Amino acid sequence: MLIPTVVYFAVWMLAPTVYGVVLSFTESSLAGRVDFVGVENYVGLAADKQFLGSLWTTAAYTLQVVGPCLILAVIMGRLLTARTRLNSVFMTVFFIPFVLPGVAIGIVFVLLFQQYGLVNQIAGGDHAWLSDARTALIVVSAATIWSMVGYYTIIFAAGYQQIPPEITEAATIDGAGAVRRFFSIELPLLRPTLIFALVTSVAAVLTDFGMPFIMTQGGPADATLTLPLLIYNQSFMYGAVGKSSAMAVVLLIAAVALTIVIVRATRERVRRERVTR
């Protein structure tokens, strides 16, 4: 039963990863030339201002998307678990952005935030949001949040439904308000869901290529040039396959390291809570 999964993982994930790591130690081109250069690509990245800038942009993009996305998803997931006849309708509405193609969402946001778009017409201004280096990443982040929040809302709604109702009912009888019930009962019981959402959302945003490419192509002035987009540019626009492979390895290490830190920090918190009880 596991053979198809193992074959899929080996052919489509492990083999390309190993091949990318090998290429990162070479000076390669799309024409097929391959010269072994050792760690030269990695040394060069340490002094590459565009690469360092893209690292900062990727970190800012991740922070701007993951935090607000999960907070909104937790709130909306709680609202969806309220027992109303419109629950299924609300779930469908919130899930629609997730099933829409990212290209469509990106184009809609470009139209909304252009100089004479709907946002400026409502606000009464003429600001070119995506042409301003100070606001371009914010708009791209907003589009990404919109595309992701529906999925995580459904995840958290499912998590809320796993909480035994008698626990919250007992807390209510004891006089705990909604805020107290949320922070003392619901949020701790949602921890497994929260860990899953945090790890997967961080990985998704760190490796997101589509939304920045669709909306800005990395501009203006590299303000939205995330690392996946820079890797694409280096490979397919400049033919620097070895250098872009080294960037991809750095991105892979960062994603794995962040995942380990999140999981270990959460486990340590759980262990401390068990000791103090």
Side-chain angles (χ1 to χ4, degrees):
M1 294 293 290
L2 291 176
I3 291 178
T5 303
V6 172
V7 171
Y8 175 84
F9 177 79
V11 172
W12 296 107
M13 300 185 72
L14 183 60
T17 302
V18 173
Y19 186 57
V21 172
V22 173
L23 284 178
S24 70
F25 294 102
T26 67
E27 184 177 351
S28 311
S29 69
L30 293 175
R33 180 176 59 83
V34 178
D35 297 320
F36 182 75
V37 296
V39 296
E40 184 178 312
N41 287 327
Y42 292 96
V43 174
L45 291 182
D48 189 326
K49 292 183 179 180
Q50 191 177 42
F51 169 73
L52 297 176
S54 73
L55 280 180
W56 172 256
T57 302
T58 304
Y61 181 48
T62 303
L63 289 174
Q64 287 181 187
V65 171
V66 172
C69 178
L70 295 190
I71 291 173
L72 286 172
V74 168
I75 295 172
M76 292 196 296
R78 183 65 184 87
L79 295 176
L80 284 179
T81 55
R83 296 175 181 177
T84 69
R85 295 179 179 179
L86 297 177
N87 271 8
S88 57
V89 176
F90 289 151
M91 284 192 178
T92 303
V93 170
F94 285 123
F95 198 68
I96 283 177
F98 180 71
V99 299
L100 287 175
V103 175
I105 295 176
I107 293 173
V108 168
F109 269 76
V110 169
L111 296 175
L112 287 174
F113 284 90
Q114 62 184 350
Q115 189 171 4
Y116 302 105
L118 182 61
V119 172
N120 279 333
Q121 290 183 19
I122 294 174
D126 59 353
H127 183 67
W129 296 83
L130 291 170
S131 299
D132 188 334
R134 297 169 300 178
T135 56
L137 187 63
I138 296 173
V139 177
V140 175
S141 299
T144 306
I145 291 171
W146 173 251
S147 68
M148 293 174 58
V149 71
Y151 171 75
Y152 288 106
T153 295
I154 302 301
I155 295 293
F156 280 109
Y160 276 114
Q161 290 175 350
Q162 299 302 315
I163 298 175
E166 57 268 21
I167 296 179
T168 53
E169 289 172 0
T172 304
I173 293 173
D174 290 340
V179 176
R180 178 67 181 276
R181 291 199 305 271
F182 174 76
F183 285 104
S184 299
I185 298 175
E186 295 173 352
L187 195 57
L189 293 177
L190 278 176
R191 184 172 289 116
T193 306
L194 190 60
I195 295 172
F196 169 80
L198 187 58
V199 170
T200 55
S201 60
V202 167
V205 180
L206 275 179
T207 57
D208 181 34
F209 165 80
M211 201 63 77
F213 179 77
I214 295 164
M215 296 183 67
T216 60
Q217 291 82 47
D222 290 348
T224 60
L225 186 66
T226 58
L227 192 50
L229 192 52
L230 179 61
I231 292 171
Y232 170 83
N233 290 343
Q234 289 292 333
S235 293
F236 297 102
M237 295 182 66
Y238 308 125
V241 178
K243 183 178 180 180
S244 65
S245 297
M247 294 178 181
V249 171
V250 172
L251 179 60
L252 174 64
I253 292 173
V256 172
L258 274 175
T259 301
I260 293 173
V261 168
I262 292 170
V263 173
R264 285 195 171 185
T266 308
R267 283 180 178 175
E268 180 64 19
R269 183 180 176 84
V270 172
R271 188 188 66 79
R272 289 178 181 176
E273 289 180 355
R274 287 176 178 173
V275 170
T276 54
R277 284 176 185 174

